[in-house]
Amino acid sequence: MRRLARAGVVLAALLLGVLLLGAALGAAGYDAPRALRALWNGSLGSSYALTSSTLVRMVPLALTGLAVALAFRAGVWNIGADGQLLVGAACAMAVGLGTTGFPGSLSLTLALIAGAVGGGAWAWIAAVLRTRFHVFEVITTIMLNFIALDLVAYLVRGPLQEPTHAYPQTVALREAARMPRLLPNSRLHAGLLIAVLAALVIWWVLRTTATGFRIRTAGSNPEAARVAGQIDVVRLTHRALVSSGALAGLAGAIEVTGVTFALYEDISPGYGYTAIAVALLAGLDPLGVLGAAFLFAALESGALAMQREAGVPSVVVAVVEGALILFALVVARPGHRAWMARSRPQRAVNRTAESRS
Amino acid sequence: MDGPVSPAARCESDGRVSVVNGAFDAFLAATVRTATPLALAALGELVVERSGIIDIGLEGIVLAGAFGALLGGGSGDAFAGFLMGAAGGVLIASLFALFVVTLKAEQIVTGTAVNLLCFGLTGSLYRGLYGATGAALSLSTTPPVLVPGLVRIPLVGPALFSQPVITYVLYALIPLLWWWLYRTHGGLALRATGENPDAARVAGLSPARFRWGALLVSGVLGGLSGATLVLAQSGTFAEGISAGRGFIAIAVVVLGRWHPVGVALASLLFGATSAMQFLFQAMGWAVPYQLFLALPYVVTLLLLAGVAGRVTAPAALGRS
């Protein structure tokens, strides 16, 4: 019931946001009705837009959104989903291209695993820096995003570059090793099923298992978790961050095997950052993440159509997304406030301070 | 020292000396150039973190400052540009303060939202005002001003004292901020707010007022940082021109151990690792360009691992 109420509030806010956007565009001299029509047609207005644009874009947003939600629930600020996605994509591509002798489905499976492992390993760096060296993960995960971007830029001009060395990208993945299509004549691929499955698994783990209980407890009150619940909070946050990275890495692997079929630098238009908005708007609820990812995917797909057809800069959706988060912070407090009031983002630093005094 | 050095230049012994010297000068100049906007933004964040708030919306502040500078400095008046840059930064910092200090919203989340908002706003306004392609816009950059006498100091003189005016403003800010933080009642009260806001409140101080003030200061400094990028360095605006400098500045504050002099040194260090490419090129070492770009971030991470365990953050940092 709370979930439904929340969805209603978010939908109303989104609708209001879109109307305000239309008013602002009209005031700025754009053809507002035309722009809003393009927004609708490009996102939900046709079955092609829905399956080939919105749902395709929903997959990386949902998986990185789940990554962020899982980390935040455990009290870890993973701002690095974008870097983890990139490293996952690079690892998946390397394995996918390196296993051309294998049957396609095996090659694909290995590539997906490599993506998850790569993303997890990238987050592991931040996890070690936090648990062993007490460096606040907000800073390290952001630094790692930049390093990942440079790493991919290097790979596609160095070891992984296509043989003619004309373009900064890899060769295309062979057909057999790509993600299978879900519908004929559409770009929709099986990654959507993986994203939905991941959401269900995380929801179930958080809700019913002992691990889930530990994660929720550690995230909401680490001191109580450690003292009364005898939970090894350090180990738990470490694992949560690595799992979060693995999810983001999987998103990258699915993106290269299902959508782009090649690795290049701007493979992610900031999925990992939008993911934070997705997770927050969903109130960090795994099932809610699916809904929020769908909304944001529709918004971004529509924005691209708006740019094509009405000349409206597509970055304008970032304004709507940012405003939606601010709105969620203030208006949609119930459900949100509970975890916010209890979370202690600077725990690692504070603990350092305490252990010194 | 822009392109790779020709082998001939490196073979001659005389030529080699002058090339390496030239590269070293270029290295020092690039170090100070990179460090300047970084240190400006980081000093602002330092004040904010000393008051117990962490503002990852700093990236958005720098971006808004750059855009403000474009609006104000477009006519060629650099002073108006810096003024508008500061105003842009203050506007965004006020938005953050409204949510975090007044409405007590979560800091990291608000910072993320502010960044998204600034990225979208500056991007769409820029395209809306200057055309879809963002037609190559070029502003005249503020010229370097030589400080008589000091510029002749061997080795570092030209790099440190042949800089645009904003760099000298930064030089003056560092001791000024140190003095204010450690030698005045206001500075003590700000630090008290960051260590223990409840105790500060009991002592009759208003943590909310100090935090608002700190955020406004960081708005000015972050805005100037963005304006520096546009008016003193690149001479143009591009979408996302801040390129992560706001985020790096937050790391620089930790590296500098929440101290103005430390922050200045940490900024120089980051600038130096970024500028390393000038030295490597002169040496003729073939290291892929992209790995150079990653070097400052890798060095920052390694240093953070070494430093963070041994420094004390403001105790109330991040808790609202």
Side-chain angles (χ1 to χ4, degrees), chain B residues 29 32-33 36 78 82 140-148 151 157-168 171 228 231-233:
Chain B
V32 178
R33 193 168 58 234
T36 301
F82 277 103
S140 55
T141 54
T142 53
V145 176
L146 305 186
V147 180
V151 75
L160 285 174
F161 298 106
S162 164
Q163 290 287 340
V165 175
I166 186 73
T167 308
Y168 303 121
Y171 292 170
T228 304
L231 297 170
Q233 299 190 349

Side-chain angles (χ1 to χ4, degrees), chain A residues 30 77 79 129 133-136 138-140 142-144 146-147 150 153-154 157 276-277 280 307 313-316 318-319 321-323 325-326 329-330 333 337 339-340 344-346 349-350 352-354 356, chain B residues 54 56 95 99 103 105-106 108-110 112-113 116-117 119-121 123-124 127-128 239 243-244 247-248 250-251 254 288 290-291 293-294 297-298 300-301 304-305 308-313 315 317-319:
Chain A
Y30 291 101
W77 296 105
I79 315 289
L129 284 168
F133 296 95
H134 307 289
V135 194
F136 190 20
V138 166
I139 295 169
T140 55
I142 290 174
M143 293 288 128
L144 285 166
F146 290 109
I147 299 174
D150 291 329
Y154 162 70
R157 287 182 182 81
I276 301 170
L280 291 168
Q307 176 163 310
S314 64
V315 281
V316 85
V319 182
E321 289 173 355
I325 307 182
L326 290 180
L329 274 175
V330 175
R333 275 186 192 181
R337 194 153 180 84
W339 70 269
M340 280 195 323
R344 286 275 185 275
Q346 269 287 43
V349 178
N350 291 334
T352 317
E354 282 155 19
R356 271 171 54 95
Chain B
I54 183 160
I56 70 167
L95 180 72
F99 275 84
L103 299 172
E106 214 293 315
I108 304 288
V109 178
T110 309
T112 308
L116 266 174
L117 210 62
F119 184 71
L121 266 181
S124 36
R127 283 199 227 171
E239 278 182 69
F247 291 133
I248 299 157
I250 297 170
V254 182
Q290 292 77 22
L291 298 186
L293 294 181
Y297 303 105
V298 175
T300 303
L301 271 188
L304 280 174
R310 291 184 282 109
V311 294
T312 312
L317 191 62
R319 304 193 230 186

